[in-house]
Amino acid sequence: MTQPTAVPGADGGRRGGRWRRPGPQQFPQPAPAAKGMWRGDGGGFTELAALPGRMSVRLRLTLLYGLLFFMAGALLLFVMSFLMANILGNVKVIGLGISDAEAAELQRQFVEQTMKQLVGRSLLALGGVGVITLVLGWFVADRALSPLQRVTTTARRLSESTLHERIALEGPDDEIKELADTFDAMLERLGQAFDSQRRFVANASHELRTPLAINRTLLEVALGDPEVSDDLRTVGKTLLATNARHERLIEGLLLLARSERELTARTPVDMAEVAATVLEQSARREHDNDVAVHPELTQGTALGDPVLLEHLVSNLVENAVKHNEAEGGELWVRTGMLEGYATVQVENTGPVVPAYEVERLFEPFRRLNADRVESSKGAGLGLSIVRSVVLAHRGAVYAAPRPGGGLIVTVRLPPG
């Protein structure tokens, strides 16, 4: 790989703009809602029927409280109107010189006007008190849901480093306390599982590395003997190359296992410095193909683990170098702040990548066109490690085929 050389804004029309548009996000997302489905068969009614499912529990409880109050108030108003009508119907109009027909008409008008005013004012009072009931119902629902909010807050704060936390909800043995106790039991099992995973990774790191290190030492000592035959020397070099590949595979697997765990500590990291360090180290190593590197590095501070972030950029760069043109290949590395996120983008020339193959490249042991024979290009863990590191940092990684061949990978991380 050639030494990194800064390239001005124009680069022979090979690409347009400083940043490439990110491709599809490369980790699971919830399926989009089927907006507008069955619009020809009463789409408006379907959306109206689905409306209750989109409301929050607090809003639904508030509306339920208000509906119950209005129903109870309407029933009470009906009963009071019926009783008042009966009472007013028993009132007799007495006057001098008034016939029975005139007295009955005056009684009818009196009852009608009185009931009209009574019902009208009662409806106004019911509406005013109903609005107050909705407001009070909103706060009552919030009070009733506060234990659930505590469970939700604990779940959001939960990480590998805080698995010792428990809700420990106090109160009567009702449904909410049963839910909190079940959640605490789940946290206990998760804590034990993470502790077991840590011990496994530590033991596997020692048990797998030690035999390979011994094999490498024995082979190097044997090959250092000047009396070794040419055939044995050839076999020894082949075994050394195979041993080195196994060491890289184990390192990748252990790094993948480590990156899939939640971070225990986060520090501000300038991605421009990380990328410059990675490019400097990569330039010192020998590569099978000659790639011209064009760094476009500006400050972009992310919050995370410096070692894992260096592995992230290193894997992106090494992947872009390995899967590049044999001659005349190019590689662009960009860092900076984009839309409020610390962003790293690696773009490389190379073979044409079908759009349907992009997502599969982020799976472990996956290569372009399902190639499992060309082992010299790695074990297929590079982009898998990238995605795991990004997820551990609560970021996002996007990938898209590059026009003319190659790949564009964009990583966005929370700013520091």
Side-chain angles (χ1 to χ4, degrees), residues 148-399:
L148 291 179
Q149 294 173 352
R150 181 177 176 183
V151 175
T152 303
T153 302
T154 304
R156 287 178 178 172
R157 191 173 60 249
L158 176 64
S159 66
E160 183 189 351
S161 59
T162 57
L163 282 177
H164 62 278
E165 294 187 12
R166 298 293 181 269
I167 300 174
L169 186 64
E170 298 180 356
D173 291 332
D174 54 9
E175 290 81 359
I176 296 181
K177 189 174 188 305
E178 182 180 359
L179 173 63
D181 293 342
T182 303
F183 193 78
D184 286 342
M186 183 189 67
L187 291 181
E188 184 69 27
R189 293 193 297 270
L190 283 177
Q192 295 175 359
F194 274 109
D195 291 339
S196 177
Q197 185 190 35
R198 289 193 191 97
R199 291 192 297 268
F200 170 78
V201 171
N203 294 334
S205 174
H206 175 74
E207 295 295 334
L208 294 176
R209 288 174 177 172
T210 302
L212 291 177
I214 294 174
N215 290 342
R216 184 179 68 252
T217 303
L218 293 176
L219 288 172
E220 290 174 348
V221 171
L223 292 176
D225 189 351
E227 298 181 358
V228 174
S229 63
D230 294 337
D231 294 339
L232 186 57
R233 189 177 299 275
T234 302
V235 173
K237 290 182 179 180
T238 303
L239 291 176
L240 270 179
T242 304
N243 195 85
R245 179 177 178 272
H246 289 164
E247 288 182 342
R248 291 194 301 271
L249 175 60
I250 291 173
E251 289 289 342
L253 289 172
L254 294 176
L255 178 60
L256 183 62
R258 176 189 172 191
S259 61
E260 287 179 345
R261 303 200 308 266
E262 182 71 21
L263 301 182
T264 57
R266 298 172 184 266
T267 58
V269 181
D270 187 359
M271 298 308 297
E273 296 181 1
V274 173
T277 302
V278 169
L279 291 176
E280 182 180 355
Q281 294 174 353
S282 182
R284 297 172 183 171
R285 293 193 291 267
E286 295 183 358
H287 299 276
D288 296 335
N289 46 4
D290 188 19
V291 178
V293 181
H294 309 301
E296 301 176 3
L297 309 180
T298 57
Q299 184 177 6
T301 303
L303 194 64
D305 187 322
V307 177
L308 287 181
L309 291 177
E310 183 175 341
H311 279 295
L312 181 149
V313 179
S314 178
N315 283 343
L316 286 176
V317 171
E318 291 302 313
N319 185 77
V321 172
K322 291 177 181 178
H323 301 278
N324 214 310
E325 302 288 352
E327 295 181 359
E330 294 185 83
L331 168 63
W332 292 269
V333 180
R334 309 180 184 100
T335 63
M337 299 298 296
L338 184 64
E339 299 178 355
Y341 292 91
T343 306
V344 178
Q345 188 175 81
V346 176
E347 176 183 354
N348 66 288
T349 56
V352 176
V353 180
Y356 58 83
E357 285 280 356
V358 171
E359 186 174 356
R360 298 178 59 190
L361 295 178
F362 284 81
E363 299 176 7
F365 304 105
R366 289 285 188 177
R367 304 184 186 89
L368 182 60
N369 299 323
D371 175 23
R372 301 184 64 87
V373 178
E374 195 175 358
S375 59
S376 62
K377 289 190 176 181
L381 291 174
L383 293 181
S384 301
I385 293 174
V386 168
R387 182 169 62 174
S388 296
V389 173
V390 169
L391 290 177
H393 286 79
R394 300 173 185 173
V397 55
Y398 307 83

Side-chain angles (χ1 to χ4, degrees), residues 6-36:
V7 174
D11 46 12
R14 299 292 298 274
R15 59 181 180 83
R18 184 175 184 276
W19 292 100
R20 289 282 196 176
R21 181 181 296 275
Q25 190 168 344
Q26 297 301 319
F27 61 86
Q29 293 178 298
K35 186 177 180 180

